[in-house]
Amino acid sequence: MGLLSEGSPLSWPETKKLADHVREHGITQFINLYNLLKDRQGDVLKWGDEIEYMLVKFNHEEKKAQLSLRAQDLLPVLQITEKENPEKASSLWRPEFASYMVEGTPGKPYGGLLAHFNVVEANMKNRRKEVSALLEKDEHILSITAFPRLGCEGFCVPEAKPDPVNSASRSLFFPDEAIYLAHPRFRTLTRNIRERRGEKVAINVPIYKDVNTPNPFKEDLSALGDDGEKGKNALPDHIYMDAMGFGMGQCCLQLTFQACNIKEARTLYDQLAPMCPIMLALTAASPIQRGYIADTDCRWNIISSSVDCRTREERGLEPLKTNRFRINKSRYDSIDSYLSPEGNRYNDIPLVIDQEAYQRMRDAGIDHLLAQHIAHLFIRDPVSLFSEKVNQNDEEDSDHFENLQSTNWQTMRFKPPPPKSTIGWRVEFRPCEAQITDFENAAYACFIVLLTRVILTYGLNFLIPISKVDENMQRAQKRDAVLNQKFWFRKDLVAQNSSESTADSVGVEKDDVCIEMTIGEIINGKGDEFQGLLPLISSYLSSVEVDADTHCTIHQYLRLIQKRASGELMTIAHWMREFVTKHPDYKGDSIVSERINYDLLTTMDGIQNETIECPALLDHPRSKTQSSIPDPIRMAENCPSTC
């Protein structure tokens, strides 16, 4: 979830007083980092995934599934190997927002060898085994995006009651006990975001209207403590949620790539940005929220609303008086600008920036595009600050910069090297929803990494106007977007326009660069009109050496992507909705009961453990993944690598 500083958290009034201090020193720290590392060259491809998991407790007698609030018991044990013998740690574990969540990553980053694709799934399986070995009877670890009954009565164990008067979130549904309390960052963020906003966060998701769903659908929240004020932002025909936990308490799959230099990192940032909505739709896995079937498939807008700390002035609901800017988006949203000179002409939406921060960076020699990107992040206030971290050495520390960088949760993240580190310039790809099985998560991870290799090898151009990317992000979240929506995508990935190389050429070129296509057409091709991403990847793979086992595994992964994109295999969201609506206890009223939730999650657990086959989702996957790279292949890593 970003920077996890240790110390004594400050209240929002204390943090607010220090906001200018954090911004001023954060910019100084970034300038110092940039000047120190802008000419760094020769870093090799390294990459890794992050998967967030949920701990679920099954009560087989009562047919209930609940979230187990034991992350703080498990994490110290999971981290023993990393602390005592880090070289032998095959996985790394970190806390996440909720006390029922853990985040796992590979112990060491993967490298540029294609053979690394064959160890990804095995590493994910090993992570699951590590956690499973510590679980109590009937506890299970699931890589699901959203717990279907999060926020319903008795959704967690030990059971905890929300406190809409005194809790950090003031939620009617989400108790503080479900927040990971062993680190102060998460409760502090929850409280400070609410206090900065001036009211509770408001999340409204359209409800799926079935034959017996009330029309209009509107809940009576008085039994939960609503006095007419606490639930005032609930909209008719929407599922209402009111806490950060409904967003940050969901899980995802994220990927981070190390580039060979800053130029390549900026190129990857830009070229992958148009892929974010495509991958969001393709990995859609969260169609049920707070015990109701939603008319959407993805988590993105939910998380965006769950951490939206903008005041009424900043949201444009009142004239600006005490705030500095009118801000168009939550701090968790899609990116607002490209970073490479080639992308500048497609920066077609107004960008709000901290002008003083921008000018300081320009005066320090930082180019316009990068300076405006950082200055845009710095229109925000810090929402979490620790007293021990207020005063820093700007020549050696970067915590003030990371404070704001890590709480701008966008679809892509451009990451400078940490101070005094061997780590290079990196890019983080953040939109994907968590999948049920390790096979699926590995498939999507390897697909994106392969795509980065194809982009760089062939010099492909995915750039489209940033406004079209925003349109796509909204389309991606609609119900069955893979089947029913079309997305803007660049129609000629090979053509390069020489005018795009000038940073002053802003605005969309006269000839339209993008057309609307289905996910299936984007991934698999559209006859002579569009080659498709999978054929490009196949072409790349045919030109490089790859061992037989890795080739088999990659083939299986790409087959899953191909069939999900075409609709031959269901997305997880489609499968979940169909499972619920065909359940014998379902009454056609959009409600996911305790029993339906239990049956759904036990089925998902069986699918991930390979005790239940689900050909509608997976089509009998059989990879040849293995825990390590054979020595003869590993020797190739010692070959010289050039940037």
Side-chain angles (χ1 to χ4, degrees):
M1 189 181 174
L3 180 69
L4 284 178
S5 296
E6 299 287 349
S8 306
L10 299 180
S11 67
W12 168 241
E14 292 170 327
T15 302
K16 183 179 180 180
K17 290 177 183 177
L18 291 165
D20 288 338
H21 172 88
V22 172
R23 279 189 290 264
E24 177 186 352
H25 288 273
I27 292 297
T28 300
Q29 291 170 2
F30 177 73
I31 290 170
N32 291 339
L33 275 175
Y34 176 82
N35 286 331
L36 182 66
L37 299 164
K38 63 183 178 181
D39 297 322
R40 178 174 175 150
Q41 299 283 342
D43 288 311
V44 297
L45 168 65
K46 291 183 179 179
W47 65 277
D49 67 90
E50 301 173 19
I51 300 178
E52 295 158 354
Y53 303 88
M54 292 189 187
L55 305 172
V56 176
K57 178 87 169 180
F58 291 115
N59 185 327
H60 297 298
E61 289 185 1
E62 298 181 18
K63 306 299 182 186
K64 291 174 63 175
Q66 297 169 287
L67 289 168
S68 179
L69 309 184
R70 291 211 313 122
Q72 66 186 52
D73 298 332
L74 302 182
L75 278 164
V77 183
L78 290 168
Q79 293 172 335
I80 287 175
T81 303
E82 177 190 354
K83 291 179 178 178
E84 295 183 353
N85 197 346
E87 288 301 312
K88 290 192 175 181
S90 62
S91 54
L92 306 179
W93 296 97
R94 298 291 180 266
E96 255 302 333
F97 175 85
S99 54
Y100 52 81
M101 296 170 69
V102 291
E103 177 190 280
T105 66
K108 295 180 179 62
Y110 305 117
L113 286 178
L114 287 175
H116 279 108
F117 292 127
N118 207 32
V119 301
V120 175
E121 184 184 346
N123 186 275
M124 292 177 179
K125 288 178 180 291
N126 184 66
R127 286 178 234 169
R128 203 181 292 270
K129 288 178 181 176
E130 283 188 45
V131 178
S132 296
L134 304 177
L135 298 180
E136 296 176 346
K137 184 175 183 291
D138 296 329
E139 267 186 335
H140 295 254
I141 176 173
L142 275 68
S143 53
I144 56 174
T145 296
F147 185 78
R149 286 180 57 83
L150 183 67
C152 296
E153 184 177 1
F155 77 88
C156 61
V157 58
E159 292 195 12
K161 299 290 185 183
D163 182 351
V165 177
N166 299 307
S167 65
S169 65
R170 303 293 195 266
S171 175
L172 295 167
F173 318 104
F174 196 95
D176 274 5
E177 288 84 351
I179 301 172
Y180 185 79
L181 300 177
H183 193 289
R185 168 180 165 91
F186 304 110
R187 192 173 188 275
T188 300
L189 277 170
T190 303
R191 180 196 66 210
N192 287 359
I193 283 173
R194 174 181 56 79
E195 291 187 8
R196 189 194 185 282
R197 179 181 170 92
E199 59 185 353
K200 288 197 301 184
V201 297
I203 308 162
N204 284 283
V205 179
I207 194 165
Y208 171 73
K209 285 293 192 74
D210 212 337
V211 290
N212 294 323
T213 307
N215 189 19
F217 171 82
K218 188 166 179 64
E219 293 182 273
D220 180 4
L221 301 174
S222 59
L224 299 174
D226 179 26
D227 54 7
E229 181 69 20
K230 298 181 181 66
K232 65 180 180 181
N233 291 317
L235 299 178
D237 293 327
H238 285 71
I239 306 163
Y240 172 63
M241 294 166 279
D242 64 349
M244 184 175 173
F246 284 107
M248 290 300 195
Q250 299 198 36
C251 297
C252 65
L253 163 69
Q254 296 173 346
L255 299 163
T256 299
F257 317 95
Q258 178 176 267
C260 72
N261 55 30
I262 187 174
K263 182 177 184 294
E264 185 177 276
R266 292 168 74 159
T267 296
L268 284 175
Y269 179 94
D270 286 8
Q271 298 297 336
L272 288 175
M275 285 300 301
C276 290
I278 309 305
M279 295 308 297
L280 180 62
L282 203 52
T283 59
S286 47
I288 305 170
Q289 302 292 334
R290 204 169 63 74
Y292 294 102
I293 308 175
D295 204 32
T296 57
D297 276 3
C298 303
R299 78 198 189 287
W300 193 266
N301 283 352
I302 297 170
I303 311 184
S304 179
S305 296
S306 78
V307 294
D308 190 356
C309 66
R310 293 175 299 161
T311 66
R312 293 181 62 82
E313 292 180 15
E314 290 168 332
R315 283 177 277 151
L317 302 177
E318 295 177 0
L320 282 175
K321 292 181 181 178
T322 60
N323 295 115
R324 302 190 301 157
F325 308 107
R326 185 155 291 158
I327 303 174
N328 297 322
K329 294 179 181 178
S330 165
R331 62 200 302 154
Y332 198 121
D333 218 309
S334 52
I335 70 165
D336 288 321
S337 68
Y338 293 120
L339 295 183
S340 68
E342 295 78 14
N344 190 42
R345 64 164 43 240
Y346 302 105
N347 286 333
D348 66 334
I349 61 175
L351 197 66
V352 181
I353 65 172
D354 184 316
Q355 191 63 43
E356 181 181 344
Y358 171 81
Q359 195 58 53
R360 283 186 62 202
M361 287 182 281
R362 295 292 282 135
D363 291 344
I366 298 174
D367 64 273
H368 162 69
L369 290 173
L370 185 54
Q372 76 169 4
H373 166 72
I374 300 298
H376 178 57
L377 302 184
F378 272 62
I379 64 174
R380 311 287 180 174
D381 283 339
V383 284
S384 177
L385 188 61
F386 296 88
S387 58
E388 293 85 350
K389 293 288 185 178
V390 170
N391 297 308
Q392 299 177 20
N393 181 344
D394 293 339
E395 297 292 332
E396 298 180 357
D397 298 325
S398 63
D399 274 20
H400 283 321
F401 168 71
E402 288 294 342
N403 186 313
L404 288 164
Q405 158 95 339
S406 69
T407 54
N408 275 270
W409 298 280
Q410 298 180 328
T411 43
M412 299 291 302
R413 183 175 282 158
F414 179 75
K415 304 174 78 167
K420 299 179 181 179
S421 170
T422 59
I423 298 172
W425 294 91
R426 293 151 298 148
V427 170
E428 188 176 4
F429 187 81
R430 300 172 48 80
C432 296
E433 308 227 307
Q435 305 294 287
I436 298 173
T437 67
D438 301 312
F439 178 88
E440 294 164 285
N441 285 316
Y444 285 118
C446 292
F447 171 74
I448 290 298
V449 180
L450 278 169
L451 200 58
T452 67
R453 300 307 94 192
V454 172
I455 290 168
L456 295 175
T457 300
Y458 296 151
L460 299 183
N461 186 355
F462 287 15
L463 296 170
I464 62 173
I466 214 99
S467 61
K468 299 295 188 187
V469 179
D470 277 356
E471 282 187 45
N472 285 350
M473 281 297 293
Q474 297 310 309
R475 296 180 185 186
Q477 298 173 73
K478 293 183 181 296
R479 175 161 50 94
D480 288 331
V482 168
L483 301 177
N484 302 324
Q485 294 294 315
K486 289 191 173 184
F487 296 82
W488 294 106
F489 209 76
R490 193 175 182 96
K491 58 187 178 183
D492 188 349
L493 304 181
V494 179
Q496 300 289 330
N497 188 331
S498 60
S499 66
E500 291 177 0
S501 64
T502 62
D504 296 328
S505 181
V506 182
V508 181
E509 55 198 13
K510 293 179 182 178
D511 297 326
D512 292 335
V513 299
C514 55
I515 57 174
E516 292 180 294
M517 290 186 280
T518 65
I519 296 281
E521 291 166 342
I522 292 168
I523 298 295
N524 299 321
K526 188 182 180 183
D528 294 334
E529 292 184 52
F530 185 75
Q531 184 172 356
L533 302 184
L534 281 184
L536 284 167
I537 290 175
S538 296
S539 175
Y540 168 77
L541 289 172
S542 68
S543 69
V544 295
E545 292 187 10
V546 55
D547 66 277
D549 284 353
T550 300
H551 184 274
C552 176
T553 295
I554 292 175
H555 175 75
Q556 292 292 325
Y557 292 163
L558 297 185
R559 184 181 176 189
L560 173 73
I561 304 292
Q562 177 252 315
K563 291 189 173 185
R564 286 267 174 97
S566 70
E568 187 176 344
L569 292 178
M570 298 178 183
T571 63
I572 291 174
H574 184 101
W575 176 82
M576 290 176 68
R577 186 179 284 107
E578 186 172 282
F579 183 99
V580 171
T581 55
K582 290 184 176 180
H583 193 281
D585 284 5
Y586 180 65
K587 297 179 172 56
D589 54 4
S590 308
I591 295 175
V592 180
S593 67
E594 194 80 76
R595 176 58 189 266
I596 295 173
N597 183 59
Y598 169 84
D599 288 344
L600 174 62
L601 291 177
T602 52
T603 301
M604 294 170 90
D605 185 55
I607 292 170
Q608 76 176 13
N609 292 324
E610 300 179 7
T611 58
I612 294 177
E613 288 195 353
C614 189
L617 272 179
L618 291 171
D619 193 24
H620 310 292
R622 292 292 183 269
S623 71
K624 293 193 175 183
T625 187
Q626 50 193 351
S627 59
S628 61
I629 298 174
D631 288 339
I633 299 174
R634 182 176 292 279
M635 288 173 63
E637 283 194 317
N638 297 322
C639 294
S641 177
T642 58
C643 185

